[in-house]
Amino acid sequence: SNRGVPVEGKTYTFRSKPENVSILHDMGVDIVSLANNHAYDHGEVALLDTFEVLKEAGVPYVGAGHNIEEARAPYIFDREGVKIAIVSATQIERTDNPDTKGATETTPGTFRCWGNKLQQLLDAAQDAKAQADVVIVYIHWGTENTDVLDWAQLDQAKALAGAGVDLIVGDH
């Protein structure tokens, strides 16, 4: 987006020019996750622009949306008759009022899975399982600059595996 203003008080804020979306095709990207702590760095207007730019470029995205229903929705690929569902969420910004807004019934944002919102991710994974052969959950989580898993990652991974997720991918 070229619009919006940086979130006040946030140390690092990122955005990219809309024309840079072509780089995703050049790199062979099949899908992007917007479930992270930078998707809202320039506010709601920039997030909405991001949805539109990706849509116009034909790049599917998960992990954020115009509302919670869209943000939690899986994207389903069909590869040689195998349906693969991808769901994405973030548990970074472990506060009740994060800089990166979570989507609600009526407002855009990311799909958050911190604290009591974990159940929404488990439900989304089970909904995806009903539609696909393989379910991948991609989570933006953990502690930056370390390869040591924290208690929340371990707890969430166990819960996701118990919900039938086939592959859990995490990053920070």
Side-chain angles (χ1 to χ4, degrees):
S1 178
N2 291 318
R3 300 188 309 153
V5 295
V7 171
E8 187 176 331
K10 192 164 185 186
T11 304
Y12 300 105
T13 58
F14 303 108
R15 71 175 165 184
S16 183
K17 296 175 184 173
E19 57 269 24
N20 289 341
V21 73
S22 65
I23 294 168
L24 298 175
H25 290 298
D26 296 344
M27 293 186 329
V29 170
D30 295 313
I31 189 167
V32 297
S33 170
L34 298 176
N36 63 69
N37 57 304
H38 292 289
Y40 213 90
D41 279 358
H42 285 78
E44 183 177 307
V45 68
L47 179 65
L48 293 171
D49 286 350
T50 300
F51 299 159
E52 192 60 32
V53 167
L54 291 170
K55 182 179 175 185
E56 287 177 8
V59 177
Y61 63 88
V62 289
H66 293 89
N67 53 51
I68 189 62
E69 183 177 338
E70 185 178 304
R72 72 182 291 280
Y75 186 83
I76 300 176
F77 290 95
D78 189 315
R79 292 294 187 258
E80 299 179 17
V82 177
K83 290 184 179 177
I84 303 166
I86 300 178
V87 176
S88 185
T90 180
Q91 57 116 294
I92 301 303
E93 295 182 289
R94 298 173 175 180
T95 66
D96 291 333
N97 190 24
D99 291 329
T100 305
K101 302 300 179 199
T104 69
E105 301 261 339
T106 58
T107 61
T110 61
F111 186 30
R112 293 181 45 78
C113 64
W114 178 246
N116 63 1
K117 298 201 182 295
L118 174 59
Q119 188 59 51
Q120 289 181 342
L121 177 57
L122 298 174
D123 293 345
Q126 289 176 334
D127 291 349
K129 192 73 171 176
Q131 302 174 59
D133 303 304
V134 176
V135 175
I136 299 169
V137 171
Y138 177 77
I139 306 178
H140 191 58
W141 62 0
T143 304
E144 202 162 26
N145 298 319
T146 182
D147 59 1
V148 177
L149 299 176
D150 68 28
W151 64 271
Q153 289 169 280
L154 296 171
D155 289 352
Q156 286 187 338
K158 287 177 189 171
L160 287 163
V165 171
D166 297 290
L167 177 65
I168 302 164
V169 179
D171 77 334
H172 192 133

